């Protein structure tokens, strides 16, 4: 099957997963449910859940335990976009081809919608525990479990899955935080308008953008039950993808069109931001993207499993037009 068709099919699957996990019930707080849904349902490439699922598949995952995490990572990403567009930060009027949340719902509701999505992401991810409960083993007394090999087998298996979900939750909660995305965003905001050292620029990119990409791919691998050294390799692949993705984002900010991007161009220049492109120029930036993605593909090739889709996805990401 050609890559584009495969990718479109996967986006449809992801949209269904996201819809299944978005909140539906409300009473007096309806506005916040609408505001959350407004930016979530505006589309977006759904790269993070796609990378997560691709890693889960690559390492032999076959269950639906990954689905609440796929929805959760997109909720966290969307919260960051809503907050990033606020007047106090980038002050952008368009996102994903629509007026931004604060323009439509007001600044107060946009702040709350971002907060709500971050919180709901964790409510959603913890639903993974319900999906791995094969039966209520806690109701069976310990002696019965110990003496019955088949119950013991189910028990130990469930325990392993619980450990994976716990580990995935740790990654999901730490990567968007102060040692990840928020850390990168804080430095980005503080140093806007200043000249940056290469070290500061790398810190911003690996955290502001890279952390969520790393968490997506690591969670897919963790839930599939891989060992530590494989998690480390996947983290390195994700690191390179994150850096390349952000440099490509900088290039698109200078070279794309409003129609393709679904948001205003030259926002870095408007906000006085130094980027990889302003420091190194477009040609060198493209070479760096090429190098980072080649390295990522080489690591994937050195690993067991069929990573063809993931490799095509990396190529698509570095060549993307939006
Ligand atoms: C304000 C809490 C807070 C965090 C800000 C993610 C972020 C950190 C800001 C968003 C703006 C930005 C340029 C971030 C870098 C990561 C990036 C390129 C985001 C856009 O991701 P895409 O291209 O967007 O995947 P879609 O709309 O396709 O989901």
């Amino acid at each position: 099957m050609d890559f584009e068709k495969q990718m479109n099919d996967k986006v449809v699957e992801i949209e269904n997963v996201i819809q299944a996990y978005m909140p539906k019930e409300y009473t007096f707080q309806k506005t916040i449910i609408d505001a959350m849904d407004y930016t979530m349902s505006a589309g977006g490439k759904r790269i993070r859940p796609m990378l997560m699922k691709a890693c889960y598949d690559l390492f032999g995952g076959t269950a639906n335990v990954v689905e609440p995490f796929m929805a959760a990572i997109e909720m966290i990403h969307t919260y960051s976009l809503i907050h990033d567009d606020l007047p106090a930060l980038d002050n952008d009027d368009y996102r994903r081809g629509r007026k931004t949340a604060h323009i439509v719902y007001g600044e107060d509701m946009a702040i709350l919608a971002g907060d709500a999505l971050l919180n709901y992401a964790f409510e959603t991810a913890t639903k993974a525990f319900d999906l791995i409960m094969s039966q209520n083993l806690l109701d069976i007394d310990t002696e019965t479990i110990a003496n019955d090999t088949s119950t013991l087998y189910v028990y130990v298996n469930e325990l392993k899955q619980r450990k994976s979900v716990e580990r995935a939750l740790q990654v999901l909660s730490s990567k968007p935080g102060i040692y990840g995305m928020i850390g990168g965003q804080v430095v980005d905001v503080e140093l806007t308008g200043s000249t940056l050292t290469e070290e500061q620029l790398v810190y911003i990119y690996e955290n502001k953008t890279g952390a969520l990409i790393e968490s997506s791919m690591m969670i897919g691998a963790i839930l599939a039950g891989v060992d530590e050294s494989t998690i480390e390799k996947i983290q390195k692949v994700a690191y390179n993808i994150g850096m390349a993705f952000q440099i490509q984002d900088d290039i698109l900010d200078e070279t794309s069109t409003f129609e393709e991007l679904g948001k205003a161009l030259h926002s870095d220049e408007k906000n006085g931001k130094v980027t990889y492109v302003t420091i190194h120029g477009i040609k060198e930036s493209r070479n760096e993207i090429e190098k980072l993605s080649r390295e990522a593909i080489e690591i994937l090739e050195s690993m067991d499993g069929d990573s063809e889709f993931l490799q095509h996805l990396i190529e698509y990401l570095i060549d993307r037009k939006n």
Side-chain angles (χ1 to χ4, degrees):
M1 196 193 303
D2 76 279
F3 172 70
E4 212 165 304
K5 162 100 177 74
Q6 239 181 323
M7 196 161 143
N8 290 340
D9 290 351
K10 284 180 195 286
V11 170
V12 172
E13 279 170 36
I14 293 167
E15 295 299 341
N16 290 336
V17 169
I18 291 173
Q19 265 322 306
Y21 281 102
M22 281 299 281
K24 292 172 188 72
E25 287 165 26
Y26 54 83
T27 54
F28 296 118
Q29 81 286 48
K30 180 174 186 300
T31 309
I32 198 67
I33 312 277
D34 290 347
M36 289 161 81
D37 193 54
Y38 174 75
T39 312
M40 278 296 288
S41 64
K45 297 178 289 299
R46 312 304 198 198
I47 285 312
R48 292 151 194 84
M50 195 175 297
L51 285 167
M52 186 184 287
K53 180 70 163 56
C55 285
Y56 187 67
D57 292 346
L58 168 62
F59 297 116
T62 52
N64 55 359
V65 64
V66 69
E67 292 180 356
F69 282 93
M70 289 163 67
I73 199 75
E74 191 64 24
M75 289 175 197
I76 295 175
H77 167 59
T78 305
Y79 120 75
S80 81
L81 299 180
I82 294 174
H83 279 192
D84 194 62
D85 291 334
L86 288 167
L89 286 142
D90 278 1
N91 194 18
D92 278 319
D93 290 352
Y94 284 92
R95 169 72 68 181
R96 293 176 165 174
R98 287 185 177 177
K99 288 273 185 193
T100 40
H102 64 271
I103 300 279
V104 177
Y105 289 91
E107 228 176 303
D108 47 7
M109 284 302 152
I111 292 170
L112 291 171
D115 294 343
L117 280 169
L118 176 61
N119 200 87
Y120 203 71
F122 292 101
E123 272 185 81
T124 302
T126 54
K127 290 178 181 157
F129 285 117
D130 302 336
L131 300 176
I132 57 171
M133 292 286 282
S134 46
Q135 49 181 280
N136 204 345
L137 288 167
L138 291 177
D139 287 347
I140 308 174
D141 66 90
T142 325
E143 214 157 304
T144 311
I145 295 174
N147 292 327
D148 175 27
T149 334
S150 62
T151 315
L152 190 63
Y153 176 84
V154 176
Y155 186 77
V156 172
N157 199 30
E158 191 173 309
L159 212 60
K160 283 187 181 171
Q161 290 185 61
R162 289 187 81 87
K163 279 261 42 100
S164 300
V165 172
E166 279 164 22
R167 177 88 193 274
L169 279 170
Q170 279 167 357
V171 174
L172 189 76
S173 53
S174 59
K175 291 282 179 190
I178 53 173
Y179 301 110
M181 185 180 76
I182 293 284
Q185 177 71 0
V186 165
V187 178
D188 190 17
V189 168
E190 267 186 345
L191 295 182
T192 293
S194 323
T195 41
L196 298 186
T197 64
E198 191 79 23
E199 201 186 351
Q200 287 166 329
L201 188 77
V202 168
Y203 177 88
I204 293 170
Y205 283 24
E206 65 192 9
N207 286 292
K208 179 178 93 164
T209 311
L212 283 201
I213 293 184
E214 280 180 31
S215 90
S216 306
M217 297 184 73
M218 286 169 75
I219 288 170
I222 289 167
L223 292 175
V226 302
D227 60 20
E228 276 311 308
S229 87
T230 308
I231 297 174
E232 269 169 39
K233 281 186 194 158
I234 277 298
Q235 186 166 9
K236 170 66 182 150
V237 171
Y239 177 91
N240 280 27
I241 296 177
M243 295 299 283
F245 188 78
Q246 183 56 56
I247 300 172
Q248 177 67 4
D249 201 66
D250 299 341
I251 294 177
L252 290 176
D253 189 57
E254 291 205 5
T255 60
S256 188
T257 60
F258 176 85
E259 286 70 30
E260 267 180 327
L261 275 191
K263 61 177 187 170
L265 286 187
H266 309 298
S267 81
D268 294 329
E269 193 184 329
K270 178 195 92 179
N271 293 311
K273 283 193 182 165
V274 173
T275 68
Y276 197 93
V277 174
T278 58
I279 296 177
H280 297 279
I282 292 202
K283 190 159 177 271
E284 212 180 301
S285 300
R286 290 213 164 106
N287 290 341
E288 183 63 13
I289 291 176
E290 193 55 46
K291 186 175 140 254
L292 287 161
S293 54
R294 209 176 34 246
E295 253 177 41
I297 289 174
E298 276 167 16
I299 300 174
L300 286 174
E301 280 172 344
S302 76
M303 297 169 86
D304 288 342
D306 177 6
S307 59
E308 198 186 327
F309 176 75
L310 207 42
Q311 293 184 35
H312 282 306
L313 187 55
I314 295 174
E315 278 156 14
Y316 157 81
L317 287 178
I318 62 164
D319 244 5
R320 74 201 152 93
K321 303 281 177 281
N322 68 359

